[in-house]
Amino acid sequence: MSRPIFVAAWFSPWSERARFALDHHRINYREEAYVPLLGEPLLRLRTRVFRGPLSVPVLFHDGRVIRDSVEIAQYADSVGTGAPLFPASASAEIARYVELATGLMEASRALSMPRMAQNEAAQRESLPSFMPAPLRSVLLPLAGMGTAYIARKYRLDSHNPNEARAAIRRGLERLQADLRGRDTLLSDFTFADIAIAVALTMVRPVEHPVLPLGPGMRAAFTEPALAEEFGDLLAWRDKLYAERRSAPGTARA
C-alpha cells in the first residue's frame, strides 16, 4: 500500500478535523501544504476538477482522490488502526453533530477572515512554515491576496456579523445542553467529538503542538465574548485535545 498524500491548509479547521482522524488511526501519511490562490491550479490538475468549487483537504491514496474532510475521516476508519470513529450504531447522531460543527465553522469563518484581512501579523503567520523568515515580509502581499481570495470564494461579505454571532451562540448553547459535564458527546469517543472540538478552535484556538498559531492568528480566530461565555465548552475541548489528540503520523512538508 502506498503512502497517502494529504493536501491541507495547516490552520484550516476543515483540514484539522481530517488530520485529527488520520492521526487517531496512526496512518503514516505525507502532508503537503496548500497555499490559497497559488495552490489551486495544481490541485485542480491533480484532482481533475477543472470547474466548480474546489477546496482542501484532499487525500490521494492508491488511485483514490477524496475531497471531503468527513469522507477522509471515514476512509481513515476503513484503513487505519484503533477504535472506529464512525460506529454504525451512532451514524445518525454523528451526522447531526458534524452538521452542527460545520455550521459553527462557517459562521465563524465569516467573522475571522475580516479580522485576518486587517491583521498584518496574522497574515504573516498564515504563510506556510517552509517559507524562510526573511522572505515572509516580502511575501506578505501573497498572504493578503490569499485572504481576499477566500473571502470572495465563500462570499463572506454577504454575511451579517451579528447574525453570525447569534448562530454561533445558538449552537454553543445546544452543545452545553448536550454535554452536561460528560467527557464525550455520545457513549464513546467518535468523530462527533472531533468535529465539535475542532469547530471550537474558531471561538478560541486550542493550545496544542499540532496547531502552533502565533498571537496574530490566535487573535483573528478568537471571539472574546463568546469565549468567556462558553468557557466550559472550551475547557472540555482542551481536555479532549490533551487526552485524545495523538501526535501526527506524518513527516510534514
Side-chain angles (χ1 to χ4, degrees), residues 90-225:
S91 59
E93 292 89 344
I94 293 171
R96 180 166 59 88
Y97 281 115
V98 168
E99 182 179 7
L100 173 59
T102 301
L104 288 171
M105 293 193 302
E106 289 174 346
S108 297
R109 179 170 58 191
L111 300 174
S112 62
M113 295 312 296
R115 288 195 292 263
M116 281 277 292
Q118 299 170 9
N119 189 324
E120 185 174 299
Q123 293 178 34
R124 184 180 291 107
E125 293 164 12
S126 72
L127 293 169
S129 60
F130 62 78
M131 290 184 177
L135 288 179
R136 288 178 175 265
S137 295
V138 177
L139 295 175
L140 188 59
L142 172 64
M145 291 168 59
T147 301
Y149 169 74
I150 292 172
R152 291 194 305 272
K153 182 176 182 178
Y154 297 105
R155 300 178 181 177
L156 299 183
D157 58 352
S158 65
H159 290 72
N160 182 297
N162 292 328
E163 292 178 359
R165 288 188 181 91
I168 296 169
R169 177 173 282 105
R170 288 193 298 271
L172 298 181
E173 289 172 345
R174 176 179 164 188
L175 286 172
Q176 277 184 327
D178 287 356
L179 273 169
R180 297 189 300 274
R182 296 160 53 183
D183 290 333
T184 56
L185 288 162
L186 306 178
S187 58
D188 296 306
F189 177 69
T190 68
F191 189 72
D193 300 298
I194 291 177
I196 293 299
V198 171
L200 290 172
T201 64
M202 298 187 74
V203 177
R204 187 182 68 206
V206 66
E207 294 187 11
H208 193 280
V210 298
L211 290 173
L213 300 184
M217 289 283 285
R218 293 188 67 83
F221 281 94
T222 296
E223 279 293 318

Side-chain angles (χ1 to χ4, degrees), residues 13 16-17 19-20 189 193-194 196-201 206-211 234-246:
E16 166 58 9
R17 67 183 185 181
R19 187 187 294 116
F20 198 142
F189 177 69
D193 300 298
I194 291 177
I196 293 299
V198 171
L200 290 172
T201 64
V206 66
E207 294 187 11
H208 193 280
V210 298
L211 290 173
L234 297 178
W236 170 84
R237 185 272 319 273
D238 293 345
K239 183 174 183 290
L240 184 139
Y241 256 79
E243 295 178 351
R244 300 282 187 171
R245 186 65 173 95
S246 58

